[in-house]
Amino acid sequence: MSAKTKSAKSSSDMATDMSLEMSAQSAEAQAAAAGETLPTIEFVSPMPGFPGRTSFVLVRLDQVGLLNSLRSVDDPELRLITIAPHQFFPEYAPEIDDETIAALGTTDPSQLLVMLIVTAGSSVRDSTANLMAPIVVDPTTMRAAQCVLTGSNLPVRAPLG
């Protein structure tokens, strides 16, 4: 990302990014203070754009698990905000391909957890989620994959609000 692109963010966008970042750091600190072990998710292959990054810690940012943070174990500066899709997109039902299911080694595809990567805006109304490339997690093995739903016409930036 060029300096020009970075500076194009509005101050409210940066404030939201910082707020989410602080929430994630706070949630991690609280879990550590309570002696909790944060769940580690192992991606079967790196997500596009993040070569060599396959281990992530999942941190719940709210009480119900709707908003989460995925922080790279290898690169603590790399943190993705994710949501459970049902609250914002109740009709969202991605068809996970057989190749992804096989790579995860799951025995029951109906039990896979689906998370969407969020791009934070100045408010929930201005934030978007990537519906085309959900993250799917087998909760039994904690193995994950980002599944690109090619040919689906789903948006990469679907508004949350």
Side-chain angles (χ1 to χ4, degrees), residues 7-132:
S7 66
K9 276 191 164 188
S10 72
S11 60
S12 59
D13 286 343
M14 287 187 274
T16 299
D17 288 348
M18 294 301 282
S19 175
L20 289 171
E21 179 72 18
M22 290 173 59
S23 294
Q25 289 174 353
S26 175
E28 285 184 39
Q30 288 175 0
E36 295 176 31
T37 301
L38 296 171
T40 300
I41 294 174
E42 294 291 335
F43 280 80
V44 295
S45 61
M47 290 182 283
F50 303 108
R53 305 295 184 251
T54 56
S55 295
F56 285 79
V57 175
L58 181 65
V59 181
R60 189 183 321 184
L61 300 180
D62 63 6
Q63 295 299 321
V64 295
L66 180 65
L67 184 64
N68 299 286
S69 167
L70 272 179
R71 182 187 45 84
S72 171
V73 171
D74 301 316
D75 180 2
E77 301 273 322
L78 174 58
R79 181 176 277 122
L80 304 170
I81 302 300
T82 66
I83 58 168
H86 64 273
Q87 183 72 29
F88 297 96
F89 307 100
E91 303 299 315
Y92 185 70
E95 290 187 33
I96 309 304
D97 60 80
D98 292 338
E99 184 178 309
T100 301
I101 291 170
L104 291 173
T106 188
T107 56
D108 187 359
S110 69
Q111 296 301 309
L112 292 175
L113 301 176
V114 177
M115 297 186 295
L116 302 174
I117 297 173
V118 171
T119 300
S122 58
S123 68
V124 171
R125 181 172 301 257
D126 297 326
S127 299
T128 62
N130 183 343
L131 299 184
M132 183 171 285

